[in-house]
Amino acid sequence: EVQFVESGGGTVQTGGSLRLSCAASGVPYDDYAIGWFRQAPGKEREGVSSINSNDGRTSYADSVKGRFTISSDNAKNTVSLQMNLLKPEDTAVYYCALGKWTKEGIMRVDYWGQGTQVTVSS
């Protein structure tokens, strides 16, 4: 059974920073993609960023490029998302996700974390 431990969510002011972390256990494959999606109230869930475990390739949504940075520790099956220059539009529940890239930077999600709240005040 795949399980996730997510941490780092909270409330910050506009322009502040947060660092999200996700530790996955029970990962059933050696080659995988892991990353973060987010969902704001009344909106669809969208991909934020992901990283490919075998070669370290990364992907980012246009809205977060230049502000967010993803990194991973394959030995611990852990992924982190450093979020800087946060905006109110970044407010959402952030979900850790595990799967594989079906195309360059496009992730098929097989497993979801429980989510952690990020709130950016104006």
Side-chain angles (χ1 to χ4, degrees), residues 20 35-41 43-49 61-65 67-68 81 83 86-97 112 115-116 118 120:
L20 302 182
W36 296 90
F37 284 65
R38 68 186 181 186
Q39 187 167 24
K43 297 187 179 296
E44 294 185 345
R45 191 170 298 185
E46 63 175 350
V48 179
S49 181
D62 288 342
S63 60
V64 308
K65 287 180 180 177
R67 299 188 297 122
F68 292 9
L81 185 69
M83 305 185 295
L86 284 162
K87 306 173 180 180
E89 303 93 282
D90 296 316
T91 296
V93 176
Y94 284 68
Y95 297 89
C96 189
W112 294 98
T116 184
V118 170
V120 184

PDB file of all heavy atoms in Angstrom, residues 20 35-41 43-49 61-65 67-68 81 83 86-97 112 115-116 118 120:
ATOM      1  N   LEU A  20       7.057  22.690   1.041  1.00  0.00           N
ATOM      2  CA  LEU A  20       6.271  21.477   1.202  1.00  0.00           C
ATOM      3  C   LEU A  20       7.165  20.255   1.045  1.00  0.00           C
ATOM      4  O   LEU A  20       8.056  20.239   0.196  1.00  0.00           O
ATOM      5  CB  LEU A  20       5.151  21.404   0.172  1.00  0.00           C
ATOM      6  CG  LEU A  20       4.141  22.550   0.134  1.00  0.00           C
ATOM      7  CD1 LEU A  20       3.078  22.259  -0.926  1.00  0.00           C
ATOM      8  CD2 LEU A  20       3.500  22.761   1.492  1.00  0.00           C
ATOM      9  N   GLY A  35       5.280  14.400  -7.543  1.00  0.00           N
ATOM     10  CA  GLY A  35       5.170  15.847  -7.531  1.00  0.00           C
ATOM     11  C   GLY A  35       3.936  16.321  -6.805  1.00  0.00           C
ATOM     12  O   GLY A  35       3.406  15.637  -5.922  1.00  0.00           O
ATOM     13  N   TRP A  36       3.478  17.519  -7.192  1.00  0.00           N
ATOM     14  CA  TRP A  36       2.405  18.193  -6.486  1.00  0.00           C
ATOM     15  C   TRP A  36       1.333  18.704  -7.432  1.00  0.00           C
ATOM     16  O   TRP A  36       1.637  19.269  -8.495  1.00  0.00           O
ATOM     17  CB  TRP A  36       2.950  19.383  -5.690  1.00  0.00           C
ATOM     18  CG  TRP A  36       3.896  18.980  -4.600  1.00  0.00           C
ATOM     19  CD1 TRP A  36       5.240  18.840  -4.680  1.00  0.00           C
ATOM     20  CD2 TRP A  36       3.538  18.665  -3.249  1.00  0.00           C
ATOM     21  NE1 TRP A  36       5.755  18.453  -3.469  1.00  0.00           N
ATOM     22  CE2 TRP A  36       4.731  18.338  -2.576  1.00  0.00           C
ATOM     23  CE3 TRP A  36       2.330  18.624  -2.554  1.00  0.00           C
ATOM     24  CZ2 TRP A  36       4.762  17.982  -1.227  1.00  0.00           C
ATOM     25  CZ3 TRP A  36       2.354  18.261  -1.218  1.00  0.00           C
ATOM     26  CH2 TRP A  36       3.555  17.945  -0.568  1.00  0.00           C
ATOM     27  N   PHE A  37       0.093  18.505  -7.049  1.00  0.00           N
ATOM     28  CA  PHE A  37      -1.067  19.124  -7.667  1.00  0.00           C
ATOM     29  C   PHE A  37      -1.714  20.028  -6.627  1.00  0.00           C
ATOM     30  O   PHE A  37      -1.426  19.921  -5.433  1.00  0.00           O
ATOM     31  CB  PHE A  37      -2.079  18.076  -8.136  1.00  0.00           C
ATOM     32  CG  PHE A  37      -1.687  17.348  -9.391  1.00  0.00           C
ATOM     33  CD1 PHE A  37      -0.573  16.522  -9.417  1.00  0.00           C
ATOM     34  CD2 PHE A  37      -2.438  17.472 -10.553  1.00  0.00           C
ATOM     35  CE1 PHE A  37      -0.206  15.844 -10.567  1.00  0.00           C
ATOM     36  CE2 PHE A  37      -2.094  16.791 -11.710  1.00  0.00           C
ATOM     37  CZ  PHE A  37      -0.974  15.987 -11.718  1.00  0.00           C
ATOM     38  N   ARG A  38      -2.604  20.919  -7.069  1.00  0.00           N
ATOM     39  CA  ARG A  38      -3.323  21.761  -6.129  1.00  0.00           C
ATOM     40  C   ARG A  38      -4.752  21.973  -6.599  1.00  0.00           C
ATOM     41  O   ARG A  38      -5.047  21.888  -7.786  1.00  0.00           O
ATOM     42  CB  ARG A  38      -2.623  23.106  -5.930  1.00  0.00           C
ATOM     43  CG  ARG A  38      -2.632  24.020  -7.146  1.00  0.00           C
ATOM     44  CD  ARG A  38      -1.787  25.262  -6.882  1.00  0.00           C
ATOM     45  NE  ARG A  38      -1.799  26.174  -8.007  1.00  0.00           N
ATOM     46  CZ  ARG A  38      -1.058  27.273  -8.090  1.00  0.00           C
ATOM     47  NH1 ARG A  38      -0.232  27.602  -7.092  1.00  0.00           N
ATOM     48  NH2 ARG A  38      -1.136  28.058  -9.157  1.00  0.00           N
ATOM     49  N   GLN A  39      -5.633  22.250  -5.644  1.00  0.00           N
ATOM     50  CA  GLN A  39      -7.032  22.492  -5.953  1.00  0.00           C
ATOM     51  C   GLN A  39      -7.572  23.587  -5.039  1.00  0.00           C
ATOM     52  O   GLN A  39      -7.567  23.446  -3.817  1.00  0.00           O
ATOM     53  CB  GLN A  39      -7.862  21.217  -5.801  1.00  0.00           C
ATOM     54  CG  GLN A  39      -9.296  21.365  -6.276  1.00  0.00           C
ATOM     55  CD  GLN A  39      -9.992  20.027  -6.410  1.00  0.00           C
ATOM     56  OE1 GLN A  39      -9.618  19.058  -5.766  1.00  0.00           O
ATOM     57  NE2 GLN A  39     -11.000  19.974  -7.262  1.00  0.00           N
ATOM     58  N   ALA A  40      -8.026  24.670  -5.653  1.00  0.00           N
ATOM     59  CA  ALA A  40      -8.666  25.757  -4.936  1.00  0.00           C
ATOM     60  C   ALA A  40     -10.170  25.529  -4.922  1.00  0.00           C
ATOM     61  O   ALA A  40     -10.707  24.838  -5.797  1.00  0.00           O
ATOM     62  CB  ALA A  40      -8.333  27.093  -5.589  1.00  0.00           C
ATOM     63  N   PRO A  41     -10.889  26.113  -3.956  1.00  0.00           N
ATOM     64  CA  PRO A  41     -12.344  25.934  -3.893  1.00  0.00           C
ATOM     65  C   PRO A  41     -13.023  26.327  -5.201  1.00  0.00           C
ATOM     66  O   PRO A  41     -12.761  27.397  -5.749  1.00  0.00           O
ATOM     67  CB  PRO A  41     -12.761  26.863  -2.755  1.00  0.00           C
ATOM     68  CG  PRO A  41     -11.555  26.933  -1.878  1.00  0.00           C
ATOM     69  CD  PRO A  41     -10.389  26.921  -2.825  1.00  0.00           C
ATOM     70  N   LYS A  43     -12.594  25.109  -8.131  1.00  0.00           N
ATOM     71  CA  LYS A  43     -11.764  24.962  -9.316  1.00  0.00           C
ATOM     72  C   LYS A  43     -11.285  23.520  -9.470  1.00  0.00           C
ATOM     73  O   LYS A  43     -11.313  22.735  -8.525  1.00  0.00           O
ATOM     74  CB  LYS A  43     -10.563  25.908  -9.247  1.00  0.00           C
ATOM     75  CG  LYS A  43     -10.941  27.371  -9.234  1.00  0.00           C
ATOM     76  CD  LYS A  43      -9.718  28.258  -9.345  1.00  0.00           C
ATOM     77  CE  LYS A  43     -10.118  29.724  -9.364  1.00  0.00           C
ATOM     78  NZ  LYS A  43     -10.921  30.048 -10.576  1.00  0.00           N
ATOM     79  N   GLU A  44     -10.847  23.178 -10.684  1.00  0.00           N
ATOM     80  CA  GLU A  44     -10.339  21.847 -10.955  1.00  0.00           C
ATOM     81  C   GLU A  44      -8.939  21.684 -10.376  1.00  0.00           C
ATOM     82  O   GLU A  44      -8.196  22.655 -10.217  1.00  0.00           O
ATOM     83  CB  GLU A  44     -10.314  21.584 -12.464  1.00  0.00           C
ATOM     84  CG  GLU A  44     -11.678  21.532 -13.120  1.00  0.00           C
ATOM     85  CD  GLU A  44     -11.599  21.163 -14.583  1.00  0.00           C
ATOM     86  OE1 GLU A  44     -10.494  21.234 -15.159  1.00  0.00           O
ATOM     87  OE2 GLU A  44     -12.639  20.795 -15.154  1.00  0.00           O
ATOM     88  N   ARG A  45      -8.593  20.432 -10.089  1.00  0.00           N
ATOM     89  CA  ARG A  45      -7.252  20.133  -9.632  1.00  0.00           C
ATOM     90  C   ARG A  45      -6.273  20.312 -10.791  1.00  0.00           C
ATOM     91  O   ARG A  45      -6.529  19.856 -11.908  1.00  0.00           O
ATOM     92  CB  ARG A  45      -7.189  18.707  -9.096  1.00  0.00           C
ATOM     93  CG  ARG A  45      -5.916  18.372  -8.346  1.00  0.00           C
ATOM     94  CD  ARG A  45      -6.031  17.022  -7.629  1.00  0.00           C
ATOM     95  NE  ARG A  45      -7.082  17.030  -6.620  1.00  0.00           N
ATOM     96  CZ  ARG A  45      -7.320  16.018  -5.783  1.00  0.00           C
ATOM     97  NH1 ARG A  45      -6.578  14.917  -5.836  1.00  0.00           N
ATOM     98  NH2 ARG A  45      -8.305  16.110  -4.903  1.00  0.00           N
ATOM     99  N   GLU A  46      -5.145  20.973 -10.519  1.00  0.00           N
ATOM    100  CA  GLU A  46      -4.169  21.250 -11.558  1.00  0.00           C
ATOM    101  C   GLU A  46      -2.771  20.827 -11.129  1.00  0.00           C
ATOM    102  O   GLU A  46      -2.422  20.888  -9.948  1.00  0.00           O
ATOM    103  CB  GLU A  46      -4.168  22.737 -11.916  1.00  0.00           C
ATOM    104  CG  GLU A  46      -3.763  23.648 -10.770  1.00  0.00           C
ATOM    105  CD  GLU A  46      -3.661  25.107 -11.173  1.00  0.00           C
ATOM    106  OE1 GLU A  46      -3.719  25.411 -12.376  1.00  0.00           O
ATOM    107  OE2 GLU A  46      -3.514  25.961 -10.261  1.00  0.00           O
ATOM    108  N   GLY A  47      -1.977  20.413 -12.096  1.00  0.00           N
ATOM    109  CA  GLY A  47      -0.597  20.064 -11.827  1.00  0.00           C
ATOM    110  C   GLY A  47       0.231  21.301 -11.542  1.00  0.00           C
ATOM    111  O   GLY A  47       0.107  22.311 -12.242  1.00  0.00           O
ATOM    112  N   VAL A  48       1.080  21.218 -10.532  1.00  0.00           N
ATOM    113  CA  VAL A  48       1.957  22.318 -10.147  1.00  0.00           C
ATOM    114  C   VAL A  48       3.386  22.048 -10.600  1.00  0.00           C
ATOM    115  O   VAL A  48       3.997  22.859 -11.308  1.00  0.00           O
ATOM    116  CB  VAL A  48       1.924  22.566  -8.632  1.00  0.00           C
ATOM    117  CG1 VAL A  48       2.873  23.696  -8.248  1.00  0.00           C
ATOM    118  CG2 VAL A  48       0.505  22.875  -8.176  1.00  0.00           C
ATOM    119  N   SER A  49       3.923  20.897 -10.197  1.00  0.00           N
ATOM    120  CA  SER A  49       5.299  20.561 -10.515  1.00  0.00           C
ATOM    121  C   SER A  49       5.530  19.078 -10.265  1.00  0.00           C
ATOM    122  O   SER A  49       4.919  18.496  -9.367  1.00  0.00           O
ATOM    123  CB  SER A  49       6.260  21.395  -9.656  1.00  0.00           C
ATOM    124  OG  SER A  49       7.606  21.108  -9.956  1.00  0.00           O
ATOM    125  N   ALA A  61       4.151  24.183 -13.866  1.00  0.00           N
ATOM    126  CA  ALA A  61       3.075  24.955 -14.463  1.00  0.00           C
ATOM    127  C   ALA A  61       3.581  26.361 -14.766  1.00  0.00           C
ATOM    128  O   ALA A  61       4.420  26.906 -14.036  1.00  0.00           O
ATOM    129  CB  ALA A  61       1.879  25.020 -13.522  1.00  0.00           C
ATOM    130  N   ASP A  62       3.085  26.957 -15.842  1.00  0.00           N
ATOM    131  CA  ASP A  62       3.532  28.295 -16.221  1.00  0.00           C
ATOM    132  C   ASP A  62       3.345  29.305 -15.091  1.00  0.00           C
ATOM    133  O   ASP A  62       4.152  30.226 -14.922  1.00  0.00           O
ATOM    134  CB  ASP A  62       2.787  28.775 -17.465  1.00  0.00           C
ATOM    135  CG  ASP A  62       3.212  28.049 -18.725  1.00  0.00           C
ATOM    136  OD1 ASP A  62       4.294  27.428 -18.720  1.00  0.00           O
ATOM    137  OD2 ASP A  62       2.465  28.109 -19.720  1.00  0.00           O
ATOM    138  N   SER A  63       2.297  29.137 -14.311  1.00  0.00           N
ATOM    139  CA  SER A  63       1.970  30.096 -13.272  1.00  0.00           C
ATOM    140  C   SER A  63       2.960  30.112 -12.113  1.00  0.00           C
ATOM    141  O   SER A  63       2.975  31.066 -11.330  1.00  0.00           O
ATOM    142  CB  SER A  63       0.563  29.826 -12.726  1.00  0.00           C
ATOM    143  OG  SER A  63       0.474  28.527 -12.174  1.00  0.00           O
ATOM    144  N   VAL A  64       3.793  29.079 -11.992  1.00  0.00           N
ATOM    145  CA  VAL A  64       4.730  29.010 -10.872  1.00  0.00           C
ATOM    146  C   VAL A  64       6.189  29.035 -11.304  1.00  0.00           C
ATOM    147  O   VAL A  64       7.083  29.081 -10.444  1.00  0.00           O
ATOM    148  CB  VAL A  64       4.477  27.768  -9.992  1.00  0.00           C
ATOM    149  CG1 VAL A  64       3.021  27.699  -9.568  1.00  0.00           C
ATOM    150  CG2 VAL A  64       4.888  26.487 -10.715  1.00  0.00           C
ATOM    151  N   LYS A  65       6.461  29.029 -12.594  1.00  0.00           N
ATOM    152  CA  LYS A  65       7.841  29.061 -13.076  1.00  0.00           C
ATOM    153  C   LYS A  65       8.559  30.301 -12.561  1.00  0.00           C
ATOM    154  O   LYS A  65       8.028  31.405 -12.593  1.00  0.00           O
ATOM    155  CB  LYS A  65       7.880  29.027 -14.604  1.00  0.00           C
ATOM    156  CG  LYS A  65       7.527  27.688 -15.203  1.00  0.00           C
ATOM    157  CD  LYS A  65       7.585  27.727 -16.726  1.00  0.00           C
ATOM    158  CE  LYS A  65       7.238  26.373 -17.320  1.00  0.00           C
ATOM    159  NZ  LYS A  65       7.230  26.404 -18.803  1.00  0.00           N
ATOM    160  N   ARG A  67       9.266  30.877  -9.514  1.00  0.00           N
ATOM    161  CA  ARG A  67       8.942  31.073  -8.101  1.00  0.00           C
ATOM    162  C   ARG A  67       9.061  29.781  -7.293  1.00  0.00           C
ATOM    163  O   ARG A  67       9.453  29.824  -6.129  1.00  0.00           O
ATOM    164  CB  ARG A  67       7.527  31.626  -7.942  1.00  0.00           C
ATOM    165  CG  ARG A  67       7.312  32.980  -8.616  1.00  0.00           C
ATOM    166  CD  ARG A  67       5.955  33.576  -8.259  1.00  0.00           C
ATOM    167  NE  ARG A  67       4.856  32.737  -8.742  1.00  0.00           N
ATOM    168  CZ  ARG A  67       3.912  32.221  -7.956  1.00  0.00           C
ATOM    169  NH1 ARG A  67       3.928  32.450  -6.650  1.00  0.00           N
ATOM    170  NH2 ARG A  67       2.936  31.489  -8.484  1.00  0.00           N
ATOM    171  N   PHE A  68       8.704  28.650  -7.897  1.00  0.00           N
ATOM    172  CA  PHE A  68       8.733  27.356  -7.208  1.00  0.00           C
ATOM    173  C   PHE A  68       9.887  26.515  -7.729  1.00  0.00           C
ATOM    174  O   PHE A  68      10.229  26.575  -8.913  1.00  0.00           O
ATOM    175  CB  PHE A  68       7.434  26.578  -7.447  1.00  0.00           C
ATOM    176  CG  PHE A  68       6.205  27.171  -6.816  1.00  0.00           C
ATOM    177  CD1 PHE A  68       6.208  28.427  -6.239  1.00  0.00           C
ATOM    178  CD2 PHE A  68       5.020  26.441  -6.817  1.00  0.00           C
ATOM    179  CE1 PHE A  68       5.062  28.971  -5.662  1.00  0.00           C
ATOM    180  CE2 PHE A  68       3.874  26.963  -6.247  1.00  0.00           C
ATOM    181  CZ  PHE A  68       3.889  28.222  -5.673  1.00  0.00           C
ATOM    182  N   LEU A  81       8.930  20.879  -2.359  1.00  0.00           N
ATOM    183  CA  LEU A  81       8.587  21.995  -3.231  1.00  0.00           C
ATOM    184  C   LEU A  81       8.838  23.284  -2.476  1.00  0.00           C
ATOM    185  O   LEU A  81       8.121  23.596  -1.522  1.00  0.00           O
ATOM    186  CB  LEU A  81       7.126  21.911  -3.678  1.00  0.00           C
ATOM    187  CG  LEU A  81       6.674  22.961  -4.691  1.00  0.00           C
ATOM    188  CD1 LEU A  81       7.350  22.717  -6.045  1.00  0.00           C
ATOM    189  CD2 LEU A  81       5.157  22.935  -4.851  1.00  0.00           C
ATOM    190  N   MET A  83       8.495  27.062  -2.317  1.00  0.00           N
ATOM    191  CA  MET A  83       7.585  28.037  -2.900  1.00  0.00           C
ATOM    192  C   MET A  83       7.965  29.427  -2.397  1.00  0.00           C
ATOM    193  O   MET A  83       7.865  29.706  -1.198  1.00  0.00           O
ATOM    194  CB  MET A  83       6.136  27.718  -2.539  1.00  0.00           C
ATOM    195  CG  MET A  83       5.709  26.308  -2.925  1.00  0.00           C
ATOM    196  SD  MET A  83       3.945  25.985  -2.628  1.00  0.00           S
ATOM    197  CE  MET A  83       3.904  26.106  -0.835  1.00  0.00           C
ATOM    198  N   LEU A  86       5.100  33.995  -2.858  1.00  0.00           N
ATOM    199  CA  LEU A  86       3.745  33.469  -2.897  1.00  0.00           C
ATOM    200  C   LEU A  86       2.712  34.566  -3.103  1.00  0.00           C
ATOM    201  O   LEU A  86       2.866  35.693  -2.625  1.00  0.00           O
ATOM    202  CB  LEU A  86       3.449  32.693  -1.623  1.00  0.00           C
ATOM    203  CG  LEU A  86       4.092  31.303  -1.569  1.00  0.00           C
ATOM    204  CD1 LEU A  86       4.132  30.778  -0.143  1.00  0.00           C
ATOM    205  CD2 LEU A  86       3.323  30.338  -2.470  1.00  0.00           C
ATOM    206  N   LYS A  87       1.659  34.209  -3.827  1.00  0.00           N
ATOM    207  CA  LYS A  87       0.567  35.112  -4.156  1.00  0.00           C
ATOM    208  C   LYS A  87      -0.743  34.547  -3.619  1.00  0.00           C
ATOM    209  O   LYS A  87      -0.860  33.338  -3.418  1.00  0.00           O
ATOM    210  CB  LYS A  87       0.444  35.274  -5.679  1.00  0.00           C
ATOM    211  CG  LYS A  87       1.715  35.696  -6.385  1.00  0.00           C
ATOM    212  CD  LYS A  87       1.509  35.664  -7.900  1.00  0.00           C
ATOM    213  CE  LYS A  87       2.761  36.072  -8.633  1.00  0.00           C
ATOM    214  NZ  LYS A  87       2.566  36.032 -10.105  1.00  0.00           N
ATOM    215  N   PRO A  88      -1.767  35.391  -3.407  1.00  0.00           N
ATOM    216  CA  PRO A  88      -3.068  34.865  -2.986  1.00  0.00           C
ATOM    217  C   PRO A  88      -3.613  33.807  -3.939  1.00  0.00           C
ATOM    218  O   PRO A  88      -4.312  32.889  -3.494  1.00  0.00           O
ATOM    219  CB  PRO A  88      -3.960  36.115  -2.976  1.00  0.00           C
ATOM    220  CG  PRO A  88      -3.014  37.222  -2.671  1.00  0.00           C
ATOM    221  CD  PRO A  88      -1.740  36.860  -3.394  1.00  0.00           C
ATOM    222  N   GLU A  89      -3.289  33.901  -5.212  1.00  0.00           N
ATOM    223  CA  GLU A  89      -3.737  32.929  -6.199  1.00  0.00           C
ATOM    224  C   GLU A  89      -3.150  31.537  -5.974  1.00  0.00           C
ATOM    225  O   GLU A  89      -3.632  30.563  -6.560  1.00  0.00           O
ATOM    226  CB  GLU A  89      -3.381  33.390  -7.622  1.00  0.00           C
ATOM    227  CG  GLU A  89      -3.947  34.750  -7.986  1.00  0.00           C
ATOM    228  CD  GLU A  89      -2.971  35.874  -7.706  1.00  0.00           C
ATOM    229  OE1 GLU A  89      -2.827  36.262  -6.531  1.00  0.00           O
ATOM    230  OE2 GLU A  89      -2.356  36.380  -8.679  1.00  0.00           O
ATOM    231  N   ASP A  90      -2.116  31.427  -5.156  1.00  0.00           N
ATOM    232  CA  ASP A  90      -1.524  30.134  -4.830  1.00  0.00           C
ATOM    233  C   ASP A  90      -2.289  29.411  -3.732  1.00  0.00           C
ATOM    234  O   ASP A  90      -1.985  28.248  -3.435  1.00  0.00           O
ATOM    235  CB  ASP A  90      -0.069  30.302  -4.396  1.00  0.00           C
ATOM    236  CG  ASP A  90       0.823  30.840  -5.497  1.00  0.00           C
ATOM    237  OD1 ASP A  90       0.707  30.361  -6.649  1.00  0.00           O
ATOM    238  OD2 ASP A  90       1.639  31.736  -5.213  1.00  0.00           O
ATOM    239  N   THR A  91      -3.253  30.073  -3.117  1.00  0.00           N
ATOM    240  CA  THR A  91      -4.038  29.457  -2.050  1.00  0.00           C
ATOM    241  C   THR A  91      -4.803  28.249  -2.578  1.00  0.00           C
ATOM    242  O   THR A  91      -5.564  28.354  -3.544  1.00  0.00           O
ATOM    243  CB  THR A  91      -5.013  30.470  -1.448  1.00  0.00           C
ATOM    244  OG1 THR A  91      -4.275  31.520  -0.818  1.00  0.00           O
ATOM    245  CG2 THR A  91      -5.915  29.813  -0.412  1.00  0.00           C
ATOM    246  N   ALA A  92      -4.596  27.099  -1.949  1.00  0.00           N
ATOM    247  CA  ALA A  92      -5.219  25.856  -2.396  1.00  0.00           C
ATOM    248  C   ALA A  92      -4.826  24.737  -1.445  1.00  0.00           C
ATOM    249  O   ALA A  92      -3.955  24.904  -0.588  1.00  0.00           O
ATOM    250  CB  ALA A  92      -4.767  25.502  -3.815  1.00  0.00           C
ATOM    251  N   VAL A  93      -5.478  23.592  -1.616  1.00  0.00           N
ATOM    252  CA  VAL A  93      -5.008  22.364  -0.997  1.00  0.00           C
ATOM    253  C   VAL A  93      -4.010  21.736  -1.961  1.00  0.00           C
ATOM    254  O   VAL A  93      -4.313  21.542  -3.140  1.00  0.00           O
ATOM    255  CB  VAL A  93      -6.155  21.381  -0.694  1.00  0.00           C
ATOM    256  CG1 VAL A  93      -5.605  20.076  -0.128  1.00  0.00           C
ATOM    257  CG2 VAL A  93      -7.133  22.007   0.286  1.00  0.00           C
ATOM    258  N   TYR A  94      -2.823  21.443  -1.466  1.00  0.00           N
ATOM    259  CA  TYR A  94      -1.764  20.857  -2.280  1.00  0.00           C
ATOM    260  C   TYR A  94      -1.672  19.363  -1.993  1.00  0.00           C
ATOM    261  O   TYR A  94      -1.597  18.946  -0.836  1.00  0.00           O
ATOM    262  CB  TYR A  94      -0.427  21.539  -1.984  1.00  0.00           C
ATOM    263  CG  TYR A  94      -0.303  22.903  -2.614  1.00  0.00           C
ATOM    264  CD1 TYR A  94      -1.092  23.962  -2.180  1.00  0.00           C
ATOM    265  CD2 TYR A  94       0.591  23.134  -3.658  1.00  0.00           C
ATOM    266  CE1 TYR A  94      -1.003  25.211  -2.769  1.00  0.00           C
ATOM    267  CE2 TYR A  94       0.694  24.383  -4.248  1.00  0.00           C
ATOM    268  CZ  TYR A  94      -0.108  25.419  -3.797  1.00  0.00           C
ATOM    269  OH  TYR A  94      -0.008  26.664  -4.380  1.00  0.00           O
ATOM    270  N   TYR A  95      -1.665  18.562  -3.072  1.00  0.00           N
ATOM    271  CA  TYR A  95      -1.662  17.115  -2.967  1.00  0.00           C
ATOM    272  C   TYR A  95      -0.378  16.530  -3.541  1.00  0.00           C
ATOM    273  O   TYR A  95      -0.020  16.809  -4.686  1.00  0.00           O
ATOM    274  CB  TYR A  95      -2.837  16.507  -3.737  1.00  0.00           C
ATOM    275  CG  TYR A  95      -4.203  16.894  -3.224  1.00  0.00           C
ATOM    276  CD1 TYR A  95      -4.844  18.036  -3.691  1.00  0.00           C
ATOM    277  CD2 TYR A  95      -4.853  16.116  -2.278  1.00  0.00           C
ATOM    278  CE1 TYR A  95      -6.097  18.393  -3.224  1.00  0.00           C
ATOM    279  CE2 TYR A  95      -6.107  16.461  -1.810  1.00  0.00           C
ATOM    280  CZ  TYR A  95      -6.721  17.605  -2.293  1.00  0.00           C
ATOM    281  OH  TYR A  95      -7.965  17.949  -1.829  1.00  0.00           O
ATOM    282  N   CYS A  96       0.288  15.705  -2.763  1.00  0.00           N
ATOM    283  CA  CYS A  96       1.399  14.926  -3.273  1.00  0.00           C
ATOM    284  C   CYS A  96       0.854  13.845  -4.204  1.00  0.00           C
ATOM    285  O   CYS A  96      -0.209  13.269  -3.944  1.00  0.00           O
ATOM    286  CB  CYS A  96       2.168  14.294  -2.120  1.00  0.00           C
ATOM    287  SG  CYS A  96       3.717  13.496  -2.582  1.00  0.00           S
ATOM    288  N   ALA A  97       1.563  13.581  -5.293  1.00  0.00           N
ATOM    289  CA  ALA A  97       1.077  12.643  -6.301  1.00  0.00           C
ATOM    290  C   ALA A  97       2.211  11.755  -6.800  1.00  0.00           C
ATOM    291  O   ALA A  97       3.337  12.219  -6.998  1.00  0.00           O
ATOM    292  CB  ALA A  97       0.460  13.402  -7.478  1.00  0.00           C
ATOM    293  N   TRP A 112      -2.572   9.287  -4.705  1.00  0.00           N
ATOM    294  CA  TRP A 112      -2.705  10.644  -4.179  1.00  0.00           C
ATOM    295  C   TRP A 112      -2.463  10.698  -2.674  1.00  0.00           C
ATOM    296  O   TRP A 112      -2.868   9.797  -1.936  1.00  0.00           O
ATOM    297  CB  TRP A 112      -4.121  11.171  -4.416  1.00  0.00           C
ATOM    298  CG  TRP A 112      -4.506  11.373  -5.844  1.00  0.00           C
ATOM    299  CD1 TRP A 112      -5.224  10.523  -6.625  1.00  0.00           C
ATOM    300  CD2 TRP A 112      -4.213  12.513  -6.653  1.00  0.00           C
ATOM    301  NE1 TRP A 112      -5.402  11.059  -7.877  1.00  0.00           N
ATOM    302  CE2 TRP A 112      -4.798  12.285  -7.924  1.00  0.00           C
ATOM    303  CE3 TRP A 112      -3.528  13.708  -6.427  1.00  0.00           C
ATOM    304  CZ2 TRP A 112      -4.706  13.203  -8.963  1.00  0.00           C
ATOM    305  CZ3 TRP A 112      -3.433  14.619  -7.457  1.00  0.00           C
ATOM    306  CH2 TRP A 112      -4.016  14.368  -8.709  1.00  0.00           C
ATOM    307  N   GLY A 115      -3.444  15.638   1.124  1.00  0.00           N
ATOM    308  CA  GLY A 115      -3.497  17.070   0.899  1.00  0.00           C
ATOM    309  C   GLY A 115      -3.103  17.882   2.112  1.00  0.00           C
ATOM    310  O   GLY A 115      -3.329  17.482   3.252  1.00  0.00           O
ATOM    311  N   THR A 116      -2.510  19.046   1.860  1.00  0.00           N
ATOM    312  CA  THR A 116      -2.141  19.977   2.912  1.00  0.00           C
ATOM    313  C   THR A 116      -2.512  21.388   2.464  1.00  0.00           C
ATOM    314  O   THR A 116      -2.312  21.764   1.311  1.00  0.00           O
ATOM    315  CB  THR A 116      -0.641  19.868   3.252  1.00  0.00           C
ATOM    316  OG1 THR A 116      -0.329  20.723   4.351  1.00  0.00           O
ATOM    317  CG2 THR A 116       0.234  20.239   2.064  1.00  0.00           C
ATOM    318  N   VAL A 118      -2.474  25.325   1.918  1.00  0.00           N
ATOM    319  CA  VAL A 118      -1.610  26.486   1.788  1.00  0.00           C
ATOM    320  C   VAL A 118      -2.501  27.710   1.622  1.00  0.00           C
ATOM    321  O   VAL A 118      -3.333  27.751   0.714  1.00  0.00           O
ATOM    322  CB  VAL A 118      -0.651  26.368   0.589  1.00  0.00           C
ATOM    323  CG1 VAL A 118       0.068  27.688   0.335  1.00  0.00           C
ATOM    324  CG2 VAL A 118       0.349  25.248   0.830  1.00  0.00           C
ATOM    325  N   VAL A 120      -2.395  31.973   1.376  1.00  0.00           N
ATOM    326  CA  VAL A 120      -1.594  33.181   1.203  1.00  0.00           C
ATOM    327  C   VAL A 120      -2.517  34.376   1.376  1.00  0.00           C
ATOM    328  O   VAL A 120      -3.447  34.574   0.587  1.00  0.00           O
ATOM    329  CB  VAL A 120      -0.909  33.224  -0.168  1.00  0.00           C
ATOM    330  CG1 VAL A 120      -0.005  34.445  -0.264  1.00  0.00           C
ATOM    331  CG2 VAL A 120      -0.115  31.949  -0.405  1.00  0.00           C
TER     332      VAL A 120
END
